[in-house]
Amino acid sequence: MGTGTHVPAGVPRVRPGVTPGSLAPLLRPASIAVIGASRQPGTIGHMIVANLVRGGFTGPVYPVNPRATSICSVPAFPTISDVPAAVDVAVISVPKQLVYGVAAEAIERGVPGLVVISAGFREVGGEGLERERQLTELVRSSGVRMIGPNCMGVLNADPAVSMNATFAPFLPPFGPMAFMSQSGAMGMSVLDYARELGIGLSQFVSVGNKPDVSGNDLLLAWEDDPAVRVILMYVENFGNPRRFLEIASRITKRKPIIVVKSGRSLAGARAASSHTGALAASDVAVDALLTQAGVLRAETVEELFDLAMGFAAQTAPRSRRVAIVTNAGGPGIIAADALEPVGLQIPEFAPETVERLRPLFPEEASIHNPLDMIASASPDNYRAALSTLLQDPQVDSAIALYVPIPPNSPAQVAEAMAAAALETPAKPVFAVVMGHQGLPQGRAELHEAGVPAYLFPESAARALAARVRHREWQERPLPEFETFPADRKTAKGIIEQARREGRSRLSESAALDLLACYGIPVARARLVRSADEAVAVATEAGFPVVLKVVAPSIIHKTEADGVQVDLRRPDDVREAWRRIHAGAERVAPGAAVEGAVVQPMLKGGRELIVGMKRDAGFGPLVMFGLGGVLVEVLRDVTFRIAPFGRIDAHDMIRDIQGVRLLDGVRGAPPVNQTAIEDVLLRVAQLALDFPEIEELDVNPLLATESGVVAVDGRALLIDD
């Protein structure tokens, strides 16, 4: 490639009206140059030019190749500087060692947007890291925006643009979805899958290594784009998760974001010294991030499109109440089984609905929810049943299942479903046409009527649940962030004292004192260093008491008999002292035992855990769950990223599987959940005030009907 920077006389360097730093030239370009265009079929440089021409790109295409006069019957130019007009985007597909030079030439030429297809950068390590650093520095210093390197390109299916600047061989149908992929190979699969399902895409961007244009940038570009009503993302990592939280929380109040995030494995998570640290793997942080932002998470790309199709429905359901109608009992039962785990309800039909339905079907039919019309059901039966069900005040959406049975055709039944759905647009219908031969025959009619169509009941259930969750998120009040009075001076002194003593871990009593600085109720605890002192403190405090070992090398005290409870006499305390020392020696031979903590014995209530783990990218992750030994066995915990509001704290409590234990079971009174919310918010404030705290556990936090008390605490400081 040449490196000249001459521009033909009279040629503008940049198109008028282009805003520096904007993504508009990349997403809706008026002209494109392909640097590295090739006459050789099968090469990326040839495929991109061919796709732009074949796809009907509405602006001029300028192939750049010093050894060709034309490519795909389009005149070619030796260098970007020879192009006789302003260029919005330069698509670069040249060997990695040439990328910097041609990018510099394009920038000098005035091109505002680069799409670097070429690989061989950060993803290969070594020299590739430096190569990407230099390229990124060049781009950022010039104010030019760059997608890639190591990407498959950009696509805009809007007929006003018709740009396929990728090496995918087709342009998908135009529709309301925008898709960002961090993987080029995954992008190819996604485009193929979208075409097969008939899902329309407005824009597709493969971001590659994303040193410049990131997912957050695309969210901002799509936030107010009227052509984008649903945002889909395949993500391998979040470069700036807190910025994502800020942007996505705002966007999801208006339009849905659906994310597939790869890397759920716990492999690679470092060993942690607290329960919170052990449970706060990176994927837990991602779940917290997406939950707080109102983003829907899909497990697979298939589920991603299942959920996306659900937003083709005419409107969102007004409640979780769903009617099921089917011509076969088995699929109806499967649908019912799939709805309940995702939080949807299957109500009984109103008596007047049952009376209207009964004359329509033979005696063998089951006039309940699910409504089983039996195998003889005709297209007219489907239309009549759906029309009736959607008028029921107990029903706000419907899943209509059809197993193809002659003489009815899937297309006829689909037409009947679509007609019923159009009669009641305020209550969406999701269709399931089972069998690969059945669904394609009816999909077009259903989609045209705003009826998402699926092969299996489970897919429809997940998609309908996602639609409900998004509506509920949109109606949810915005979080209000509270600030509590706190004794920051004393808290700082506790941390500085540990530093002066060379400790990275606070003693239990110091950890409880730290919590008390933030208004968290704590159980009184006194450090003792001999059996006699333990007896004296216990006598003064009043029996019964608890004795807990204090030894820096023993993390989980119960494993070392380090927690002796319900001690009622001085002799009990002396025997407990002997046991905790014997247990410490058994678990950690030679470990330094600094003494023990004496606390009053508290009875009743539920043992909970509240914790915090600081993540390098996400910041403080606050955890809540069932405490004591249950946290190790059940791992029934939830996380949120600080700061968060009381509504998030409330959700944390309600999200654990064992929440019924907190509501009161078998005659036990419910615990004070407002007091638990306070502790979660105060721990979040503590974590934000003192970034030197790496991990924190309050376990157990004893919750009763009247309030909460922190019985045990541990805190780990970041190493200096």
Side-chain angles (χ1 to χ4, degrees), residues 193-358:
Y193 198 56
R195 184 180 63 162
E196 178 185 339
L197 294 178
I199 294 177
L201 292 178
S202 57
Q203 297 169 43
F204 167 83
V205 179
S206 167
V207 293
N209 296 356
K210 58 174 187 173
D212 182 43
V213 173
S214 66
N216 288 345
D217 293 315
L218 291 169
L219 287 177
L220 289 170
W222 290 334
E223 180 175 8
D224 296 315
D225 189 334
V228 176
R229 298 203 303 273
V230 181
I231 297 173
L232 313 177
M233 306 178 80
Y234 171 80
V235 176
E236 294 175 353
N237 60 67
F238 289 93
N240 188 340
R242 299 191 75 85
R243 178 66 169 148
F244 175 90
L245 177 60
E246 174 193 341
I247 298 168
S249 298
R250 185 175 67 240
I251 292 176
T252 51
K253 288 294 185 180
R254 298 170 48 206
K255 56 182 76 174
I257 301 173
I258 309 173
V259 168
V260 172
K261 166 65 173 69
S262 61
R264 279 191 175 273
S265 171
L266 293 178
R270 74 168 182 85
S273 62
S274 70
H275 290 297
T276 309
L279 293 171
S282 61
D283 194 65
V284 169
V286 170
D287 265 338
L289 174 72
L290 300 182
T291 298
Q292 280 176 256
V295 173
L296 300 167
R297 183 170 188 176
E299 299 291 334
T300 63
V301 173
E302 181 180 13
E303 184 180 346
L304 176 87
F305 279 107
D306 284 345
L307 304 191
M309 281 197 297
F311 287 90
Q314 297 151 312
T315 188
R318 290 178 296 199
S319 78
R320 298 185 172 213
R321 300 189 299 265
V322 186
I324 302 171
V325 58
T326 178
N327 68 335
I333 295 171
I334 292 172
D337 288 344
L339 288 174
E340 291 188 359
V342 293
L344 299 181
Q345 301 163 2
I346 307 169
E348 291 291 333
F349 298 141
E352 56 270 26
T353 300
V354 174
E355 292 305 311
R356 291 179 59 193
L357 288 171
R358 200 176 299 282

Side-chain angles (χ1 to χ4, degrees), residues 7-354:
V7 179
V11 174
R13 288 174 49 80
V14 64
R15 176 166 59 92
V18 173
T19 304
S22 168
L23 296 191
L26 284 164
L27 301 179
R28 302 184 69 88
S31 57
I32 299 176
V34 181
I35 305 177
S38 172
R39 290 174 296 187
Q40 180 77 33
T43 62
I44 291 177
H46 183 273
M47 286 189 286
I48 291 174
V49 175
N51 289 342
L52 286 167
V53 174
R54 184 168 53 241
F57 176 57
T58 54
V61 178
Y62 302 112
V64 175
N65 185 321
R67 294 180 296 277
T69 57
S70 67
I71 296 173
C72 296
S73 300
V74 177
F77 301 89
T79 72
I80 185 70
S81 300
D82 295 305
V83 173
V87 175
D88 273 2
V89 172
V91 179
I92 298 175
S93 179
V94 299
K96 57 183 179 294
Q97 59 269 27
L98 300 180
V99 169
Y100 185 93
V102 298
E105 185 177 356
I107 291 170
E108 179 65 22
R109 173 65 175 77
V111 178
L114 306 178
V115 177
V116 181
I117 307 292
S118 309
F121 292 83
R122 186 178 69 228
E123 77 280 2
V124 300
E127 293 181 358
L129 291 168
E130 177 61 18
R131 197 176 292 121
E132 182 166 305
R133 187 196 65 77
Q134 293 177 1
L135 179 62
T136 304
E137 186 177 285
L138 169 70
V139 169
R140 290 182 176 172
S141 65
S142 67
V144 166
R145 302 311 306 269
M146 175 181 69
I147 291 173
N150 185 35
C151 74
M152 67 171 287
V154 185
L155 180 152
N156 189 324
D158 186 341
V161 182
S162 289
M163 169 186 62
N164 182 8
T166 75
F167 44 87
F170 48 81
L171 195 66
F174 179 57
M177 315 278 180
F179 195 103
M180 184 223 84
S181 178
Q182 203 172 331
S183 162
M186 184 62 69
M188 290 283 285
S189 300
V190 161
L191 292 176
D192 190 44
Y193 198 56
R195 184 180 63 162
E196 178 185 339
L197 294 178
I199 294 177
L201 292 178
S202 57
Q203 297 169 43
F204 167 83
V205 179
S206 167
V207 293
N209 296 356
K210 58 174 187 173
D212 182 43
V213 173
S214 66
N216 288 345
D217 293 315
L218 291 169
L219 287 177
L220 289 170
W222 290 334
E223 180 175 8
D224 296 315
D225 189 334
V228 176
R229 298 203 303 273
V230 181
I231 297 173
L232 313 177
M233 306 178 80
Y234 171 80
V235 176
E236 294 175 353
N237 60 67
F238 289 93
N240 188 340
R242 299 191 75 85
R243 178 66 169 148
F244 175 90
L245 177 60
E246 174 193 341
I247 298 168
S249 298
R250 185 175 67 240
I251 292 176
T252 51
K253 288 294 185 180
R254 298 170 48 206
K255 56 182 76 174
I257 301 173
I258 309 173
V259 168
V260 172
K261 166 65 173 69
S262 61
R264 279 191 175 273
S265 171
L266 293 178
R270 74 168 182 85
S273 62
S274 70
H275 290 297
T276 309
L279 293 171
S282 61
D283 194 65
V284 169
V286 170
D287 265 338
L289 174 72
L290 300 182
T291 298
Q292 280 176 256
V295 173
L296 300 167
R297 183 170 188 176
E299 299 291 334
T300 63
V301 173
E302 181 180 13
E303 184 180 346
L304 176 87
F305 279 107
D306 284 345
L307 304 191
M309 281 197 297
F311 287 90
Q314 297 151 312
T315 188
R318 290 178 296 199
S319 78
R320 298 185 172 213
R321 300 189 299 265
V322 186
I324 302 171
V325 58
T326 178
N327 68 335
I333 295 171
I334 292 172
D337 288 344
L339 288 174
E340 291 188 359
V342 293
L344 299 181
Q345 301 163 2
I346 307 169
E348 291 291 333
F349 298 141
E352 56 270 26
T353 300
V354 174

Side-chain angles (χ1 to χ4, degrees), residues 323-325 348-363 365-373 381-392 395:
I324 302 171
V325 58
E348 291 291 333
F349 298 141
E352 56 270 26
T353 300
V354 174
E355 292 305 311
R356 291 179 59 193
L357 288 171
R358 200 176 299 282
L360 300 176
F361 304 104
E363 292 183 1
S366 176
I367 312 300
H368 302 287
N369 195 7
L371 170 60
D372 181 5
M373 301 181 295
N381 289 142
Y382 268 94
R383 180 167 184 174
L386 279 170
S387 297
T388 303
L389 294 177
L390 292 174
Q391 294 177 43
D392 191 317
V395 170

